[in-house]
Amino acid sequence: EKITVSVIKADIGSVAGHSTVPDEIKALAEKKLNEAKEKGIIIDFRVFNAGDDLELVMTHRKGVDSEEIHGLAWETFKACAEKAKELKLYAAGQDLLKEAFSGNVRGLGPGVAEMEFTERPAEPIIVFMMDKTEPGAFNLPIFRMFADPFNTAGLVIDPSMHQGFRFEVWDIKEHKRVMLSTPEEMYDLLALIGSKGRYVIKRVYPKEGGKLPADEPVAVVSTEKLFEIAGEYVGKDDPVAIVRAQSGLPAVGEVLEAFAFPHLVSGWMRGSHNGPLMPVPFRYSKCTRFDGPPRVIAAGFQLCNGKLIGPVDMFDDPAFDYTRQKAMEICDYIRRHGPFEPHRLPHEEMEYTTLPKVLKKLEARFEKI
Ligand code: F6R
Ligand code: MG
Ligand code: MG
């Protein structure tokens, strides 16, 4: 029998400003999910916050897009948003963009990463949760994990990984998708996913004939577009991802190695700036400097018949101190550009922020030259 891991997240309000989720809210989410666990709707759960986002990690046997599981997440977010309003938290209810639930949370505001697969005799998974950035921020690290031999030694030396992987890439503007295989189509893959605001890796699959079933994903990323739902800027789509590891997949250390380089991602202050992605322990999962910098936390688990053994706070290690130090050097450098590109996002991407409202006022004052 297959297991489903669902990570569903929403920003339903935070303290102070857009910095972090208070304990009262996480406790309420835990209470709701515990009730569902007692009723047997889910097998297990954990609640996290990535900065101002509330993440529900749930295991169950109901498959992806289950109305019951999505409904549970929706009701949990609604209850948390109510509490957030009571506490007058900042931007209470922010990501709950629609009133009524109709089958699943996609298109309603929350972000979703979920996958159904056959649990192996030992099944390590890492849940990554980011704040102050967008789904494309996962393109580079997911590529590194599953396609870059300079990151993942197993691609070269493990016969069960040597054949490579398949990537499902979404064009989030045109709502289309394409499957590409690595290593043979690596350059095509990079041609797309280098444009991380438009092409995002949605899932990774094993190839046919390997150790793992080719139709069961080994990684999945949330790709919801809040802007398209709301029609105006309501914050970035701070993304989450689930990655399976070991035994024919990248080792846990190869999965984490992909975050040792603090690459530039878009988001940060007002969802309008490029800045480095900083891997941090859970206790630093709050945004401070210039509402950032963009951050990622990693929760490591072993699955045990759907039960979650863990979490292990994977970035809580001096091994990532240098990355954090480097990230802060990059912050200092790029911040000195102030309102100039490429710190500020390119003009086309500013379309999804509050800048057009400012530019509109100037329209009438332009004269022909
Ligand atoms: C970025 C983010 C924050 C806000 C900023 C302004 O995703 O959430 O940087 O954009 O704090 O917020 P408002 O306009 O609510 O004062
Ligand atoms: Mg917020
Ligand atoms: Mg956020």
Side-chain angles (χ1 to χ4, degrees), residues 91-357:
Q94 174 184 289
D95 284 357
L96 307 184
L97 302 177
K98 299 272 162 78
E99 275 304 312
F101 177 76
S102 58
N104 77 58
V105 296
R106 277 182 291 103
L108 304 182
V112 188
E114 52 183 356
M115 56 181 168
E116 187 182 29
F117 53 90
T118 311
E119 188 182 304
R120 296 173 292 168
E123 183 69 61
I125 62 167
I126 313 281
V127 178
F128 291 100
M129 296 161 266
M130 295 183 182
D131 188 34
K132 303 295 185 277
T133 185
E134 59 176 11
F138 273 109
N139 281 5
L140 185 148
I142 297 278
F143 172 82
R144 284 240 164 103
M145 289 171 208
F146 290 96
D148 179 2
F150 281 75
N151 180 87
T152 297
L155 292 167
V156 178
I157 66 181
D158 178 355
S160 63
M161 284 177 73
H162 198 76
Q163 58 174 345
F165 291 92
R166 292 179 303 135
F167 289 76
E168 178 184 330
V169 177
W170 282 18
D171 175 340
I172 53 180
K173 296 248 155 64
E174 298 275 323
H175 304 275
K176 294 188 294 201
R177 65 179 169 185
V178 60
M179 290 294 293
L180 291 167
S181 285
T182 56
E184 58 285 18
E185 294 179 304
M186 180 191 287
Y187 300 160
D188 296 301
L189 175 64
L190 288 169
L192 295 176
I193 65 171
S195 301
K196 57 188 173 38
R198 168 128 188 205
Y199 300 99
V200 296
I201 299 173
K202 178 64 187 175
R203 293 183 190 84
V204 181
Y205 289 93
K207 282 185 175 168
E208 291 290 345
K211 249 184 167 174
L212 290 110
D215 60 346
E216 294 183 4
V218 292
V220 63
V221 181
S222 65
T223 51
E224 281 61 36
K225 263 283 180 212
L226 291 178
F227 176 84
E228 289 187 20
I229 305 165
E232 64 174 324
Y233 179 72
V234 288
K236 278 272 177 201
D237 312 276
D238 307 321
V240 292
I242 314 169
V243 179
R244 299 167 64 197
Q246 306 284 155
S247 306
L249 297 176
V252 166
E254 290 166 336
V255 170
L256 297 175
E257 176 69 8
F259 291 92
F261 166 60
H263 70 296
L264 293 173
V265 298
S266 66
W268 207 350
M269 175 56 76
R270 298 174 188 277
S272 307
H273 294 82
N274 285 308
L277 182 73
M278 184 163 77
V280 294
F282 301 160
R283 67 181 176 282
Y284 294 142
S285 189
K286 62 179 180 218
C287 287
T288 58
R289 184 177 176 185
F290 203 50
D291 280 358
R295 273 157 220 241
V296 56
I297 57 168
F301 300 97
Q302 287 289 137
L303 282 183
C304 175
N305 306 314
K307 269 189 73 68
L308 291 162
I309 310 300
V312 177
D313 184 352
M314 304 305 292
F315 291 137
D316 184 13
D317 191 286
F320 285 93
D321 280 352
Y322 177 76
T323 308
R324 292 188 273 265
Q325 184 66 36
K326 196 88 205 156
M328 291 322 299
E329 280 168 30
I330 297 165
C331 280
D332 246 30
Y333 171 80
I334 203 163
R335 275 272 47 233
R336 286 172 68 178
H337 293 78
F340 287 80
E341 298 174 6
H343 183 25
R344 196 168 82 184
L345 297 188
H347 192 73
E348 315 78 73
E349 284 180 54
M350 293 302 290
E351 207 184 297
Y352 310 111
T353 69
T354 48
L355 183 71
K357 288 182 184 153

